[in-house]
Coordinates of all heavy atoms in Angstrom, one line a residue:
M1 N 21.2 24.0 -13.5 CA 21.6 22.7 -13.0 C 21.1 21.6 -14.0 O 19.9 21.6 -14.3 CB 21.1 22.4 -11.6 CG 21.9 22.9 -10.5 SD 21.5 22.1 -8.9 CE 20.2 23.2 -8.4
N2 N 21.9 20.6 -14.3 CA 21.4 19.5 -15.0 C 20.8 18.4 -14.1 O 20.9 18.6 -12.9 CB 22.5 18.9 -15.9 CG 23.6 18.3 -15.1 OD1 23.5 17.7 -14.1 ND2 24.8 18.4 -15.7
K3 N 20.2 17.4 -14.6 CA 19.5 16.4 -13.8 C 20.5 15.8 -12.8 O 20.1 15.6 -11.6 CB 18.9 15.3 -14.7 CG 17.7 15.7 -15.5 CD 17.0 14.5 -16.1 CE 17.9 14.1 -17.3 NZ 17.2 13.1 -18.2
E4 N 21.6 15.4 -13.2 CA 22.6 14.7 -12.3 C 22.9 15.6 -11.1 O 23.1 15.2 -10.0 CB 23.8 14.3 -13.0 CG 23.6 13.1 -14.0 CD 22.9 13.5 -15.3 OE1 22.9 14.6 -15.7 OE2 22.2 12.6 -15.8
E5 N 23.1 16.9 -11.4 CA 23.4 17.9 -10.4 C 22.2 18.0 -9.4 O 22.4 18.2 -8.2 CB 23.8 19.2 -11.0 CG 25.1 19.2 -11.7 CD 25.4 20.5 -12.5 OE1 24.4 21.1 -13.0 OE2 26.5 20.8 -12.7
I6 N 21.0 18.0 -9.9 CA 19.8 18.1 -9.1 C 19.7 16.9 -8.2 O 19.5 17.0 -7.0 CB 18.6 18.2 -9.9 CG1 18.6 19.6 -10.7 CG2 17.3 18.1 -9.0 CD1 17.5 19.7 -11.7
Y7 N 20.0 15.7 -8.7 CA 19.9 14.4 -7.9 C 21.0 14.5 -6.8 O 20.7 14.2 -5.6 CB 20.2 13.2 -8.8 CG 19.3 13.0 -9.9 CD1 19.7 12.4 -11.1 CD2 17.9 13.2 -9.8 CE1 18.9 12.2 -12.2 CE2 17.0 13.0 -10.9 CZ 17.5 12.5 -12.0 OH 16.7 12.2 -13.1
Q8 N 22.2 14.9 -7.1 CA 23.3 15.0 -6.2 C 22.9 16.0 -5.1 O 23.2 15.8 -3.9 CB 24.6 15.3 -6.9 CG 25.8 15.3 -5.9 CD 26.1 14.0 -5.4 OE1 26.2 13.0 -6.1 NE2 26.2 13.9 -4.0
K9 N 22.4 17.2 -5.5 CA 22.1 18.2 -4.5 C 21.0 17.8 -3.6 O 21.1 18.0 -2.4 CB 21.7 19.5 -5.3 CG 21.5 20.7 -4.4 CD 22.8 21.2 -4.0 CE 22.7 22.5 -3.3 NZ 23.9 23.0 -2.7
A10 N 20.0 17.0 -4.1 CA 18.9 16.5 -3.2 C 19.5 15.6 -2.2 O 19.1 15.7 -1.0 CB 17.9 15.8 -4.1
I11 N 20.5 14.8 -2.6 CA 21.1 13.9 -1.6 C 21.9 14.6 -0.6 O 21.8 14.3 0.6 CB 22.0 12.9 -2.3 CG1 21.2 11.9 -3.2 CG2 22.9 12.1 -1.3 CD1 22.0 11.2 -4.3
E12 N 22.6 15.7 -1.0 CA 23.4 16.5 -0.1 C 22.4 17.3 0.9 O 22.7 17.3 2.1 CB 24.2 17.5 -0.8 CG 25.4 16.8 -1.6 CD 26.1 17.7 -2.6 OE1 25.8 19.0 -2.6 OE2 26.9 17.2 -3.4
V13 N 21.4 17.9 0.4 CA 20.5 18.7 1.2 C 19.7 17.9 2.1 O 19.6 18.2 3.3 CB 19.6 19.6 0.3 CG1 18.5 20.2 1.1 CG2 20.4 20.6 -0.5
F14 N 19.0 16.8 1.7 CA 18.1 16.0 2.5 C 18.8 14.9 3.2 O 18.3 14.4 4.2 CB 17.0 15.5 1.7 CG 16.2 16.6 1.0 CD1 16.1 16.7 -0.3 CD2 15.5 17.5 1.8 CE1 15.4 17.7 -1.0 CE2 14.7 18.5 1.2 CZ 14.7 18.6 -0.2
G15 N 20.0 14.4 2.8 CA 20.8 13.4 3.4 C 20.4 12.0 2.9 O 19.2 11.8 2.4
I16 N 21.3 11.1 2.9 CA 21.1 9.7 2.4 C 19.9 9.0 3.1 O 19.0 8.5 2.5 CB 22.4 8.9 2.5 CG1 23.4 9.5 1.4 CG2 22.1 7.4 2.2 CD1 24.7 8.8 1.4
P17 N 19.9 9.0 4.5 CA 18.8 8.3 5.1 C 17.4 8.8 4.6 O 16.5 8.0 4.4 CB 19.0 8.5 6.6 CG 20.5 8.8 6.7 CD 20.8 9.5 5.5
M18 N 17.2 10.1 4.5 CA 15.9 10.6 4.1 C 15.6 10.3 2.7 O 14.5 10.0 2.3 CB 15.9 12.1 4.3 CG 15.6 12.6 5.7 SD 14.1 11.8 6.5 CE 12.8 12.4 5.4
Q19 N 16.6 10.3 1.8 CA 16.4 9.9 0.4 C 16.0 8.4 0.3 O 15.2 8.0 -0.6 CB 17.5 10.3 -0.5 CG 17.7 11.8 -0.6 CD 16.3 12.6 -0.9 OE1 15.6 12.9 -0.1 NE2 16.1 12.7 -2.2
L20 N 16.6 7.6 1.1 CA 16.3 6.2 1.1 C 14.8 6.0 1.6 O 14.1 5.2 1.0 CB 17.2 5.4 2.0 CG 18.7 5.3 1.5 CD1 19.6 4.6 2.6 CD2 18.8 4.7 0.2
I21 N 14.4 6.7 2.6 CA 13.1 6.7 3.1 C 12.1 7.1 2.0 O 11.1 6.5 1.7 CB 12.9 7.5 4.4 CG1 13.6 6.8 5.5 CG2 11.4 7.7 4.7 CD1 13.7 7.6 6.8
M22 N 12.5 8.2 1.3 CA 11.7 8.7 0.2 C 11.5 7.7 -0.9 O 10.5 7.6 -1.5 CB 12.3 10.0 -0.3 CG 11.5 10.7 -1.4 SD 9.8 11.2 -0.8 CE 10.3 12.6 0.3
A23 N 12.6 7.0 -1.3 CA 12.5 6.0 -2.3 C 11.5 4.9 -1.9 O 10.7 4.5 -2.8 CB 13.9 5.4 -2.6
I24 N 11.6 4.5 -0.7 CA 10.6 3.5 -0.2 C 9.2 4.0 -0.3 O 8.3 3.3 -0.7 CB 11.0 3.0 1.2 CG1 12.3 2.3 1.2 CG2 9.9 2.1 1.8 CD1 13.0 2.1 2.6
E25 N 9.0 5.2 0.2 CA 7.7 5.9 0.1 C 7.2 6.0 -1.3 O 6.0 5.6 -1.5 CB 7.8 7.2 0.8 CG 6.4 8.0 0.8 CD 6.6 9.3 1.5 OE1 7.4 9.5 2.4 OE2 5.8 10.2 1.0
E26 N 8.0 6.4 -2.2 CA 7.5 6.5 -3.6 C 7.2 5.2 -4.2 O 6.2 5.1 -4.9 CB 8.6 7.2 -4.4 CG 8.9 8.7 -4.0 CD 7.7 9.6 -4.1 OE1 6.6 9.2 -4.7 OE2 7.8 10.7 -3.6
M27 N 7.9 4.1 -3.9 CA 7.6 2.8 -4.4 C 6.3 2.3 -3.9 O 5.4 1.7 -4.6 CB 8.7 1.8 -4.1 CG 10.0 2.0 -4.9 SD 11.3 0.8 -4.6 CE 11.9 1.4 -3.0
S28 N 6.0 2.7 -2.6 CA 4.8 2.3 -2.0 C 3.6 3.0 -2.6 O 2.5 2.5 -2.8 CB 4.8 2.6 -0.5 OG 3.6 2.5 0.1
E29 N 3.8 4.3 -3.0 CA 2.7 5.1 -3.6 C 2.4 4.5 -5.0 O 1.2 4.5 -5.3 CB 3.1 6.6 -3.6 CG 3.1 7.2 -2.3 CD 3.6 8.6 -2.3 OE1 3.9 9.2 -3.4 OE2 3.7 9.2 -1.2
L30 N 3.4 4.1 -5.7 CA 3.1 3.5 -7.0 C 2.3 2.2 -6.8 O 1.4 1.9 -7.5 CB 4.3 3.3 -7.8 CG 4.1 2.6 -9.2 CD1 3.1 3.4 -10.1 CD2 5.4 2.3 -9.9
T31 N 2.8 1.4 -5.9 CA 2.1 0.1 -5.6 C 0.6 0.4 -5.3 O -0.3 -0.3 -5.8 CB 2.7 -0.6 -4.3 OG1 4.1 -0.8 -4.7 CG2 2.0 -1.8 -4.0
K32 N 0.3 1.4 -4.5 CA -1.0 1.8 -4.1 C -1.8 2.2 -5.3 O -3.0 1.7 -5.5 CB -1.0 2.9 -3.1 CG -2.4 3.4 -2.6 CD -2.3 4.6 -1.7 CE -2.0 5.8 -2.6 NZ -2.2 7.1 -1.9
E33 N -1.3 2.9 -6.2 CA -2.0 3.4 -7.4 C -2.2 2.2 -8.4 O -3.3 2.2 -9.0 CB -1.2 4.5 -8.1 CG -1.2 5.8 -7.4 CD -2.5 6.4 -7.0 OE1 -3.5 6.2 -7.8 OE2 -2.7 7.0 -6.0
I34 N -1.3 1.3 -8.5 CA -1.5 0.1 -9.3 C -2.6 -0.7 -8.8 O -3.5 -1.2 -9.5 CB -0.2 -0.7 -9.5 CG1 0.8 0.1 -10.3 CG2 -0.5 -2.1 -10.1 CD1 2.2 -0.5 -10.3
I35 N -2.7 -0.9 -7.5 CA -3.7 -1.7 -6.8 C -5.1 -1.0 -7.1 O -6.1 -1.7 -7.4 CB -3.5 -1.9 -5.3 CG1 -2.3 -2.8 -5.1 CG2 -4.7 -2.4 -4.6 CD1 -1.8 -2.9 -3.7
K36 N -5.1 0.3 -6.9 CA -6.4 1.0 -7.2 C -6.8 0.8 -8.7 O -8.0 0.5 -9.0 CB -6.2 2.5 -7.0 CG -6.2 3.0 -5.6 CD -6.1 4.5 -5.6 CE -6.0 5.0 -4.2 NZ -5.8 6.5 -4.2
D37 N -5.9 0.8 -9.6 CA -6.2 0.5 -11.0 C -6.7 -0.9 -11.2 O -7.7 -1.1 -11.9 CB -4.9 0.7 -11.9 CG -5.2 0.5 -13.3 OD1 -6.1 1.2 -13.9 OD2 -4.5 -0.4 -13.9
L38 N -6.2 -1.9 -10.6 CA -6.6 -3.2 -10.7 C -8.0 -3.4 -10.1 O -8.8 -4.3 -10.5 CB -5.7 -4.2 -10.0 CG -4.3 -4.4 -10.7 CD1 -3.4 -5.2 -9.8 CD2 -4.5 -5.1 -12.0
R39 N -8.4 -2.5 -9.1 CA -9.7 -2.5 -8.5 C -10.7 -1.7 -9.4 O -11.9 -1.6 -9.0 CB -9.7 -2.0 -7.1 CG -9.0 -2.9 -6.2 CD -9.0 -2.3 -4.8 NE -8.4 -3.1 -3.8 CZ -7.9 -2.7 -2.7 NH1 -8.0 -1.5 -2.3 NH2 -7.4 -3.6 -1.8
G40 N -10.3 -1.2 -10.5 CA -11.2 -0.5 -11.4 C -11.2 1.0 -11.2 O -12.0 1.7 -11.9
K41 N -10.4 1.6 -10.3 CA -10.4 3.0 -10.1 C -9.2 3.6 -11.0 O -8.2 3.9 -10.5 CB -10.2 3.3 -8.6 CG -11.3 2.8 -7.7 CD -10.9 3.1 -6.3 CE -12.0 2.5 -5.4 NZ -11.7 2.7 -4.0
R42 N -9.5 3.8 -12.2 CA -8.5 4.2 -13.2 C -8.1 5.7 -12.9 O -8.9 6.5 -12.8 CB -9.0 4.1 -14.6 CG -9.5 2.7 -15.0 CD -8.7 2.3 -16.2 NE -9.1 0.9 -16.6 CZ -8.4 -0.1 -16.3 NH1 -7.3 0.0 -15.7 NH2 -8.8 -1.3 -16.7
N43 N -6.8 5.9 -12.8 CA -6.3 7.2 -12.7 C -4.8 7.2 -13.2 O -3.9 7.1 -12.5 CB -6.3 7.7 -11.3 CG -6.0 9.2 -11.2 OD1 -5.4 9.8 -12.1 ND2 -6.5 9.9 -10.2
F44 N -4.7 7.2 -14.6 CA -3.5 7.1 -15.2 C -2.6 8.3 -14.9 O -1.3 8.2 -14.9 CB -3.6 7.0 -16.7 CG -4.3 5.6 -17.1 CD1 -5.4 5.6 -17.9 CD2 -3.7 4.4 -16.6 CE1 -6.0 4.4 -18.2 CE2 -4.3 3.2 -16.9 CZ -5.4 3.2 -17.7
A45 N -3.1 9.5 -14.6 CA -2.3 10.6 -14.2 C -1.5 10.3 -12.9 O -0.3 10.6 -12.8 CB -3.2 11.9 -14.1
H46 N -2.2 9.7 -11.9 CA -1.5 9.4 -10.7 C -0.4 8.4 -10.9 O 0.7 8.5 -10.3 CB -2.5 8.9 -9.6 CG -3.3 10.0 -9.0 ND1 -4.6 9.9 -8.6 CD2 -2.9 11.3 -8.6 CE1 -5.0 11.0 -8.0 NE2 -4.0 11.9 -8.0
I47 N -0.7 7.4 -11.7 CA 0.3 6.3 -12.0 C 1.5 7.0 -12.7 O 2.6 6.7 -12.4 CB -0.4 5.2 -12.8 CG1 -1.4 4.4 -12.0 CG2 0.7 4.3 -13.4 CD1 -2.2 3.4 -12.7
S48 N 1.2 7.8 -13.7 CA 2.3 8.5 -14.4 C 3.2 9.3 -13.4 O 4.4 9.3 -13.5 CB 1.8 9.4 -15.5 OG 1.1 8.6 -16.4
E49 N 2.5 10.0 -12.5 CA 3.2 10.9 -11.6 C 4.1 10.0 -10.6 O 5.3 10.3 -10.4 CB 2.2 11.7 -10.7 CG 2.9 12.5 -9.7 CD 1.9 13.3 -8.8 OE1 0.7 13.2 -9.1 OE2 2.4 14.0 -8.0
E50 N 3.6 8.9 -10.2 CA 4.3 8.0 -9.3 C 5.5 7.3 -10.0 O 6.5 7.2 -9.4 CB 3.4 7.0 -8.6 CG 2.3 7.6 -7.7 CD 2.8 8.5 -6.7 OE1 4.0 8.4 -6.3 OE2 2.1 9.4 -6.3
I51 N 5.3 7.0 -11.3 CA 6.4 6.4 -12.1 C 7.5 7.5 -12.2 O 8.7 7.1 -12.0 CB 5.9 5.9 -13.4 CG1 5.1 4.7 -13.3 CG2 7.1 5.6 -14.3 CD1 4.4 4.2 -14.6
A52 N 7.1 8.7 -12.4 CA 8.1 9.8 -12.5 C 8.9 9.9 -11.2 O 10.1 10.1 -11.2 CB 7.5 11.1 -12.9
D53 N 8.2 9.9 -10.1 CA 8.8 10.0 -8.8 C 9.8 8.9 -8.6 O 10.9 9.1 -8.1 CB 7.8 10.0 -7.7 CG 6.9 11.3 -7.6 OD1 7.4 12.3 -8.2 OD2 5.9 11.2 -7.0
I54 N 9.4 7.7 -9.0 CA 10.3 6.5 -8.8 C 11.5 6.6 -9.7 O 12.6 6.3 -9.2 CB 9.5 5.2 -9.0 CG1 8.6 5.0 -7.8 CG2 10.5 4.0 -9.2 CD1 7.7 3.8 -8.0
E55 N 11.3 7.1 -10.9 CA 12.5 7.2 -11.8 C 13.5 8.2 -11.2 O 14.7 8.0 -11.3 CB 12.1 7.6 -13.2 CG 11.4 6.5 -13.9 CD 11.0 6.8 -15.4 OE1 11.2 8.0 -15.8 OE2 10.6 5.9 -16.1
I56 N 13.0 9.3 -10.6 CA 13.9 10.3 -10.0 C 14.6 9.6 -8.8 O 15.8 9.8 -8.6 CB 13.1 11.5 -9.6 CG1 12.6 12.3 -10.8 CG2 13.9 12.4 -8.6 CD1 11.6 13.3 -10.5
M57 N 13.9 8.9 -8.0 CA 14.5 8.2 -6.8 C 15.5 7.2 -7.3 O 16.5 7.0 -6.6 CB 13.5 7.7 -5.9 CG 12.6 8.7 -5.3 SD 13.4 10.2 -4.6 CE 14.5 9.5 -3.4
L58 N 15.2 6.4 -8.3 CA 16.1 5.4 -8.8 C 17.5 6.0 -9.2 O 18.5 5.5 -8.9 CB 15.5 4.6 -10.0 CG 14.4 3.7 -9.6 CD1 13.8 3.1 -10.9 CD2 14.9 2.6 -8.7
E59 N 17.4 7.2 -9.8 CA 18.7 7.9 -10.2 C 19.5 8.2 -9.0 O 20.7 8.1 -8.9 CB 18.4 9.1 -11.1 CG 17.8 8.8 -12.5 CD 18.7 7.9 -13.3 OE1 20.0 8.1 -13.2 OE2 18.2 7.0 -14.0
Q60 N 18.8 8.7 -7.9 CA 19.4 9.0 -6.7 C 20.0 7.8 -6.0 O 21.1 7.8 -5.5 CB 18.5 9.8 -5.8 CG 18.2 11.2 -6.3 CD 17.2 11.9 -5.3 OE1 17.6 12.1 -4.2 NE2 16.1 12.3 -5.8
L61 N 19.3 6.7 -6.1 CA 19.8 5.5 -5.5 C 21.1 5.0 -6.1 O 22.0 4.5 -5.5 CB 18.7 4.3 -5.6 CG 17.5 4.5 -4.7 CD1 16.5 3.4 -5.0 CD2 17.9 4.5 -3.2
K62 N 21.2 5.2 -7.5 CA 22.4 4.8 -8.2 C 23.6 5.7 -7.7 O 24.7 5.2 -7.7 CB 22.2 4.8 -9.7 CG 21.3 3.7 -10.2 CD 21.2 3.6 -11.7 CE 20.2 4.6 -12.2 NZ 20.0 4.4 -13.7
I63 N 23.3 6.9 -7.4 CA 24.3 7.8 -6.9 C 24.7 7.4 -5.5 O 25.9 7.3 -5.2 CB 23.9 9.3 -7.0 CG1 23.7 9.7 -8.4 CG2 24.8 10.2 -6.2 CD1 23.0 11.1 -8.6
I64 N 23.7 7.2 -4.7 CA 24.0 6.8 -3.3 C 24.8 5.5 -3.2 O 25.8 5.5 -2.4 CB 22.7 6.6 -2.5 CG1 22.0 8.0 -2.3 CG2 22.9 5.9 -1.2 CD1 20.5 8.0 -1.9
Y65 N 24.4 4.5 -4.0 CA 25.1 3.2 -3.9 C 26.3 3.1 -4.9 O 27.0 2.1 -4.9 CB 24.1 2.1 -4.1 CG 23.2 2.0 -2.9 CD1 21.8 2.4 -3.0 CD2 23.6 1.5 -1.7 CE1 21.0 2.3 -1.9 CE2 22.8 1.4 -0.6 CZ 21.5 1.8 -0.7 OH 20.6 1.7 0.4
K66 N 26.5 4.2 -5.7 CA 27.6 4.2 -6.6 C 27.6 2.9 -7.5 O 28.7 2.2 -7.6 CB 29.0 4.4 -5.9 CG 29.1 5.7 -5.2 CD 30.4 5.7 -4.4 CE 30.6 7.0 -3.7 NZ 29.6 7.4 -2.7
N67 N 26.5 2.5 -8.0 CA 26.3 1.2 -8.7 C 25.7 1.3 -10.1 O 25.1 0.4 -10.6 CB 25.6 0.2 -7.8 CG 24.2 0.6 -7.6 OD1 23.7 1.7 -7.9 ND2 23.4 -0.3 -7.0
A68 N 25.8 2.5 -10.7 CA 25.1 2.7 -12.0 C 25.6 1.7 -13.0 O 24.8 1.1 -13.8 CB 25.3 4.1 -12.5
D69 N 26.9 1.4 -13.0 CA 27.5 0.5 -14.0 C 26.9 -1.0 -13.7 O 26.6 -1.7 -14.7 CB 29.0 0.5 -14.0 CG 29.6 1.7 -14.5 OD1 28.9 2.4 -15.3 OD2 30.8 2.0 -14.2
D70 N 26.9 -1.3 -12.5 CA 26.4 -2.7 -12.1 C 24.9 -2.8 -12.5 O 24.5 -3.8 -13.0 CB 26.5 -2.9 -10.6 CG 28.0 -3.2 -10.2 OD1 28.8 -3.5 -11.1 OD2 28.3 -3.0 -9.0
V71 N 24.1 -1.7 -12.2 CA 22.7 -1.7 -12.6 C 22.6 -1.9 -14.1 O 21.7 -2.7 -14.5 CB 22.0 -0.4 -12.1 CG1 20.6 -0.3 -12.7 CG2 22.0 -0.4 -10.6
N72 N 23.4 -1.2 -14.9 CA 23.3 -1.4 -16.3 C 23.6 -2.8 -16.8 O 23.0 -3.3 -17.7 CB 24.2 -0.4 -17.0 CG 23.6 1.0 -17.0 OD1 22.3 1.2 -16.9 ND2 24.4 2.0 -17.0
I73 N 24.6 -3.4 -16.1 CA 25.0 -4.8 -16.5 C 23.8 -5.7 -16.2 O 23.4 -6.6 -17.0 CB 26.2 -5.2 -15.7 CG1 27.4 -4.5 -16.3 CG2 26.5 -6.7 -15.8 CD1 28.7 -4.6 -15.5
Y74 N 23.3 -5.6 -14.9 CA 22.1 -6.5 -14.6 C 20.9 -6.2 -15.5 O 20.2 -7.2 -15.9 CB 21.7 -6.2 -13.1 CG 22.6 -6.9 -12.1 CD1 23.4 -6.2 -11.2 CD2 22.6 -8.3 -12.0 CE1 24.2 -6.8 -10.3 CE2 23.4 -8.9 -11.1 CZ 24.2 -8.2 -10.2 OH 25.0 -8.8 -9.3
K75 N 20.7 -5.0 -15.8 CA 19.6 -4.6 -16.7 C 19.7 -5.3 -18.1 O 18.8 -5.9 -18.6 CB 19.5 -3.1 -16.8 CG 18.2 -2.6 -17.4 CD 18.4 -1.0 -17.5 CE 17.2 -0.3 -17.5 NZ 17.5 1.2 -17.5
H76 N 20.9 -5.2 -18.6 CA 21.2 -5.8 -19.9 C 21.0 -7.3 -19.8 O 20.3 -7.9 -20.7 CB 22.6 -5.5 -20.3 CG 23.0 -6.1 -21.6 ND1 23.6 -7.3 -21.7 CD2 22.9 -5.7 -22.9 CE1 23.8 -7.7 -22.9 NE2 23.4 -6.7 -23.7
D77 N 21.5 -7.9 -18.8 CA 21.4 -9.4 -18.6 C 19.9 -9.8 -18.5 O 19.5 -10.8 -19.1 CB 22.2 -9.9 -17.4 CG 23.7 -9.8 -17.6 OD1 24.2 -9.6 -18.8 OD2 24.4 -9.9 -16.6
K78 N 19.2 -9.1 -17.7 CA 17.8 -9.4 -17.5 C 16.9 -9.2 -18.7 O 16.0 -10.0 -19.0 CB 17.3 -8.6 -16.3 CG 17.8 -9.2 -15.0 CD 17.4 -8.4 -13.8 CE 18.0 -8.9 -12.5 NZ 17.4 -10.1 -12.0
L79 N 17.3 -8.2 -19.5 CA 16.5 -7.9 -20.7 C 16.9 -9.1 -21.7 O 16.0 -9.5 -22.5 CB 16.9 -6.6 -21.3 CG 16.2 -5.4 -20.7 CD1 16.8 -4.1 -21.2 CD2 14.7 -5.4 -20.9
Y80 N 18.1 -9.5 -21.8 CA 18.5 -10.6 -22.6 C 17.7 -11.9 -22.3 O 17.2 -12.6 -23.1 CB 20.0 -10.8 -22.6 CG 20.5 -11.9 -23.5 CD1 20.6 -11.7 -24.8 CD2 20.8 -13.2 -23.0 CE1 21.1 -12.7 -25.7 CE2 21.3 -14.2 -23.8 CZ 21.4 -13.9 -25.2 OH 21.8 -14.9 -26.0
R81 N 17.7 -12.2 -20.9 CA 16.9 -13.3 -20.5 C 15.4 -13.2 -20.8 O 14.8 -14.2 -21.2 CB 17.1 -13.5 -19.0 CG 18.3 -14.3 -18.6 CD 18.3 -14.7 -17.2 NE 19.0 -13.6 -16.5 CZ 18.8 -13.3 -15.2 NH1 17.9 -13.9 -14.5 NH2 19.5 -12.3 -14.7
L82 N 14.9 -12.0 -20.7 CA 13.5 -11.8 -21.0 C 13.2 -12.0 -22.5 O 12.3 -12.7 -22.9 CB 13.0 -10.4 -20.6 CG 11.6 -10.0 -21.0 CD1 10.6 -10.9 -20.4 CD2 11.4 -8.5 -20.5
M83 N 14.1 -11.5 -23.3 CA 14.0 -11.7 -24.8 C 14.0 -13.2 -25.1 O 13.2 -13.7 -25.9 CB 15.2 -11.0 -25.5 CG 15.1 -11.2 -27.0 SD 16.6 -10.6 -27.8 CE 17.9 -11.8 -27.3
N84 N 14.9 -14.0 -24.5 CA 15.0 -15.4 -24.7 C 13.7 -16.1 -24.3 O 13.2 -17.0 -24.9 CB 16.2 -16.0 -24.0 CG 17.5 -15.7 -24.7 OD1 17.5 -15.5 -26.0 ND2 18.6 -15.7 -24.0
T85 N 13.2 -15.7 -23.1 CA 11.9 -16.3 -22.6 C 10.8 -16.0 -23.6 O 10.0 -16.9 -23.9 CB 11.6 -15.7 -21.2 OG1 12.7 -16.0 -20.3 CG2 10.3 -16.2 -20.7
L86 N 10.7 -14.8 -24.1 CA 9.7 -14.4 -25.0 C 9.8 -15.2 -26.3 O 8.8 -15.6 -26.9 CB 9.7 -12.9 -25.3 CG 9.4 -12.0 -24.1 CD1 9.6 -10.6 -24.4 CD2 7.9 -12.2 -23.7
E87 N 11.0 -15.4 -26.8 CA 11.2 -16.1 -28.0 C 10.8 -17.6 -27.8 O 10.2 -18.2 -28.7 CB 12.7 -16.1 -28.5 CG 13.0 -14.7 -29.0 CD 14.5 -14.6 -29.4 OE1 15.3 -15.4 -29.0 OE2 14.9 -13.5 -30.0
K88 N 11.1 -18.2 -26.7 CA 10.6 -19.5 -26.4 C 9.1 -19.6 -26.3 O 8.5 -20.6 -26.8 CB 11.3 -20.0 -25.1 CG 12.8 -20.3 -25.2 CD 13.3 -20.7 -23.9 CE 14.9 -20.8 -24.0 NZ 15.5 -21.0 -22.7
E89 N 8.5 -18.6 -25.7 CA 7.0 -18.6 -25.6 C 6.4 -18.5 -27.0 O 5.4 -19.1 -27.2 CB 6.6 -17.4 -24.8 CG 6.8 -17.5 -23.3 CD 6.0 -18.6 -22.7 OE1 4.8 -18.7 -23.0 OE2 6.5 -19.3 -21.8
R90 N 7.0 -17.8 -27.9 CA 6.5 -17.7 -29.3 C 6.9 -18.9 -30.1 O 6.5 -19.1 -31.3 CB 7.0 -16.5 -30.0 CG 6.4 -15.2 -29.4 CD 6.7 -14.0 -30.2 NE 7.9 -14.2 -31.1 CZ 8.6 -13.2 -31.6 NH1 8.3 -11.9 -31.4 NH2 9.6 -13.4 -32.4
G91 N 7.9 -19.7 -29.6 CA 8.4 -20.8 -30.4 C 9.4 -20.4 -31.4 O 9.6 -21.1 -32.5
D92 N 10.2 -19.4 -31.2 CA 11.2 -18.8 -32.1 C 12.6 -19.4 -31.9 O 13.5 -18.9 -32.5 CB 11.3 -17.3 -32.0 CG 10.0 -16.6 -32.5 OD1 9.2 -17.3 -33.1 OD2 9.9 -15.4 -32.3
N93 N 12.7 -20.4 -31.0 CA 14.1 -20.8 -30.7 C 14.6 -21.6 -31.9 O 15.2 -21.6 -32.7 CB 14.2 -21.7 -29.5 CG 13.0 -22.6 -29.3 OD1 11.9 -22.3 -29.8 ND2 13.2 -23.6 -28.5

């Protein structure tokens, strides 16, 4: 199975409501690990693991909401705005 097939199968096997709950849970776990890091309890392995979990869930969310194209458009627009902001901060306008 390729990645897309695995994501789709997870949605079919566990169901949309459970995968939405899982996405929320994974975001919460990354939040917790980042807070620990800010408090000086460094554990980059846990942060890396939680980022991986979220990336997997984000792919499933795009399948669930059938919005991968919209996400890409927003992502492109937001990166463009960020680039412009950074250029203004550096005085490159």
Side-chain angles (χ1 to χ4, degrees):
M1 273 194 276
N2 64 36
K3 287 188 286 189
E4 289 75 23
E5 291 170 332
I6 295 169
Y7 300 144
Q8 184 63 51
K9 189 72 172 174
I11 295 165
E12 291 168 10
V13 169
F14 301 116
I16 290 174
M18 281 306 298
Q19 292 311 88
L20 296 176
I21 291 168
M22 184 61 70
I24 295 165
E25 182 180 325
E26 296 300 349
M27 289 183 283
S28 173
E29 289 176 6
L30 178 59
T31 300
K32 180 184 76 166
E33 291 303 327
I34 292 170
I35 290 169
K36 284 181 183 179
D37 180 58
L38 290 171
R39 289 182 178 158
K41 298 177 183 176
R42 302 237 181 259
N43 192 336
F44 293 125
H46 281 144
I47 291 173
S48 298
E49 180 181 0
E50 297 308 333
I51 290 171
D53 288 342
I54 287 175
E55 287 184 354
I56 290 167
M57 296 314 301
L58 288 174
E59 293 301 321
Q60 291 181 60
L61 289 174
K62 289 187 277 188
I63 293 169
I64 290 167
Y65 290 108
K66 298 174 177 61
N67 66 349
D69 291 339
D70 289 340
V71 169
N72 285 331
I73 290 167
Y74 281 114
K75 191 182 207 180
H76 178 268
D77 290 347
K78 289 176 181 281
L79 282 170
Y80 182 77
R81 275 189 270 151
L82 177 57
M83 179 187 70
N84 286 332
T85 300
L86 294 171
E87 287 174 352
K88 287 176 186 172
E89 286 293 318
R90 290 188 341 199
D92 291 348
N93 36 338

